[in-house]
Amino acid sequence: MIVDLRSDTVTVPTLAMKEAMFNAIVGDDVFGDDETVNKLEALGAAIFGKEAAVYCPSGTMTNQIAIKINSNPPGEIICDELSHVYKYEGGGIGFNSGLASKLLKGTNGRLTARQIEVAINPDDVHFPETQLVSLENTCNKGGGTIYKLEEIKKIRTLCTNKGLKLHLDGARIFNAIVEKNYTALDIGSQFDTLSVCLSKGLGAPVGSLLLGTTEAIKKARRIRKIFGGGMRQSGYLAAAGIYALENNIQRLKEDHQRAKQLGATLQSVSFVKEVLPVYTNIVVFEIIDTIDYQSIIKKLAEKNVKVVAFGPQQIRMVTHLNFTDDMLTETISILKNLAIN
Ligand SMILES: *Cc1c(COP(=O)(O)O)cnc(C)c1O
């Protein structure tokens, strides 16, 4: 048995998802002719109560398009220092949008309205003009942490008052929604643009949606084309996205349950120094100083459990729809019995 906990992107389509893909009615999406892509975009927009959506190959592309359409260089974006838009998108903020980044130190990836307020630059020629704020929910690098709706609302009010755009990197927004007492509509109403990944916990092979007003998404389509993301018969992929939105949201709770069990096991083994609180499907833990964490990754790989390095002495595990109860039992047993020398 091979247990792959490197990411929730490692899932492969189920038979039912593949059937939906096989039966998709397609056309040339650059001409707007692909019915299945159009259906996916309408469905995504409706779920979050936004006017429009555009289907893109990746979450990096939806984030980068959003930053581009919500800004006008020279200017500045405010985000947490752990945010994917800054840390894992190849320097795209500077490269694609010509913006400076003001990085704030939040609580495991989450910012407060107060923190953002004091980080907004005064109207002074020395400073880049603050133009937008980007939040990440759940926050990957923070260990799958979730924002409270009250804080998001405060940030929304601040951005409205200061004339700033507010973007959500919602790569794993449904992981937050199934755990919290808020809905997709609650979230959708707070942001100018939202990026939602279909290829993470939802289990589709490819794709992300960018959501916003009709006007914003019209601009986004132009940028998507420039970025090389205009696809043709992409309905075969969009069909998987529709299937994912219709079938794979509620089951995310199971991933969270399994992640909590992994977290509890890790708390009890001698080679682990600290486990970050497990909120959703991400488990981040630190190995004790006297053991090289790379040796733990290697030992686990020898037992067919794949995990990734996540920082100094840190390892990440992510649960997903191809991680079964049998795999959980096996992984717990391997962790408990890992020989450390
Ligand atoms: C995965 C991810 C993205 C987008 O990644 P792609 O691999 O480009 O689809 C964006 N933000 C976060 C927080 C992510 O985890």
Side-chain angles (χ1 to χ4, degrees):
M1 182 189 294
I2 292 180
V3 179
D4 196 342
L5 291 165
R6 288 173 301 169
S7 174
D8 46 6
T9 54
V10 301
T11 56
V12 292
T14 56
L15 190 58
M17 184 181 273
K18 280 193 272 199
E19 270 168 11
M21 296 169 76
F22 189 83
N23 292 321
I25 298 167
V26 299
D28 188 331
D29 182 52
V30 174
F31 289 110
D33 283 352
D34 193 302
E35 285 182 33
T36 308
V37 172
N38 295 343
K39 187 176 163 198
L40 170 65
E41 291 174 345
L43 176 63
I47 289 173
F48 288 89
K50 303 308 276 185
E51 287 173 4
V54 60
Y55 180 55
C56 293
S58 73
T60 298
M61 190 181 283
T62 43
N63 279 333
Q64 291 298 319
I65 292 173
I67 292 166
K68 182 93 187 148
I69 64 171
N70 285 323
S71 65
N72 190 15
E76 190 163 77
I77 180 174
I78 293 177
C79 59
D80 188 278
E81 63 181 2
L82 301 180
S83 39
H84 195 283
V85 293
Y86 175 77
K87 217 174 153 62
Y88 296 113
E89 297 186 7
I93 293 172
F95 190 75
N96 297 317
S97 296
L99 301 180
S101 298
K102 186 169 278 179
L103 305 177
L104 305 183
K105 195 176 182 59
T107 312
N108 293 333
R110 288 160 303 183
L111 300 176
T112 64
R114 180 72 196 132
Q115 264 185 303
I116 295 168
E117 186 168 14
V118 298
I120 297 170
N121 287 333
D123 186 7
D124 175 320
V125 293
H126 291 88
F127 306 120
E129 182 188 34
T130 308
Q131 296 180 345
L132 79 147
V133 174
S134 178
L135 307 182
E136 188 174 314
N137 192 21
T138 66
C139 178
N140 168 36
K141 186 73 182 166
T145 47
I146 313 178
Y147 267 94
K148 290 199 173 103
L149 187 59
E150 302 86 85
E151 199 59 48
I152 295 175
K153 284 183 173 170
K154 282 186 202 163
I155 296 171
R156 170 72 268 173
T157 303
L158 172 71
C159 288
T160 304
N161 292 341
K162 301 284 183 183
L164 308 180
K165 296 285 192 199
L166 183 58
H167 171 67
L168 176 71
D169 177 355
R172 296 188 179 83
I173 188 59
F174 289 111
N175 294 84
I177 288 168
V178 300
E179 285 300 323
K180 282 281 180 197
N181 57 347
Y182 49 70
T183 63
L185 291 174
D186 292 331
I187 292 293
S189 65
Q190 302 303 312
F191 293 91
D192 295 291
T193 50
L194 299 90
S195 161
V196 177
C197 285
L198 303 164
S199 60
K200 298 275 166 82
L202 295 186
V206 175
S208 289
L209 287 170
L210 181 63
L211 315 165
T213 61
T214 305
E215 194 191 342
I217 298 308
K218 189 174 171 212
K219 277 190 203 156
R221 284 186 192 283
R222 188 177 277 279
I223 306 298
R224 181 184 67 168
K225 194 76 182 82
I226 296 169
F227 284 178
M231 299 180 286
R232 303 295 177 174
Q233 285 72 29
S234 38
Y236 290 117
L237 299 171
I242 294 169
Y243 183 89
L245 288 172
E246 288 177 346
N247 295 281
N248 291 345
I249 295 176
Q250 280 311 315
R251 64 151 307 285
L252 290 170
K253 278 193 175 167
E254 295 172 30
D255 297 343
H256 300 175
Q257 246 352 88
R258 293 186 186 109
K260 284 193 172 79
Q261 291 189 56
L262 287 174
T265 303
L266 287 163
Q267 221 126 36
S268 72
V269 299
S270 62
F271 58 88
V272 171
K273 182 173 167 186
E274 199 198 337
V275 186
L276 290 189
V278 180
Y279 299 101
T280 51
N281 67 330
I282 298 177
V283 186
V284 176
F285 57 101
E286 197 177 325
I287 303 302
I288 54 173
D289 301 338
T290 49
I291 298 174
D292 175 10
Y293 73 121
Q294 294 288 357
S295 74
I296 300 287
I297 294 175
K298 201 163 152 245
K299 276 189 211 297
L300 288 171
E302 282 161 8
K303 305 269 183 202
N304 288 326
V305 176
K306 299 182 186 182
V307 299
V308 290
F310 210 51
Q313 288 295 89
Q314 268 187 348
I315 294 175
R316 185 188 74 171
M317 291 177 168
V318 188
T319 59
H320 50 74
L321 69 83
N322 290 160
F323 179 66
T324 61
D325 275 332
D326 284 349
M327 291 179 185
L328 175 66
T329 308
E330 168 97 351
T331 308
I332 288 174
S333 154
I334 288 170
L335 287 170
K336 284 188 170 160
N337 297 308
L338 203 69
I340 308 298
N341 37 44

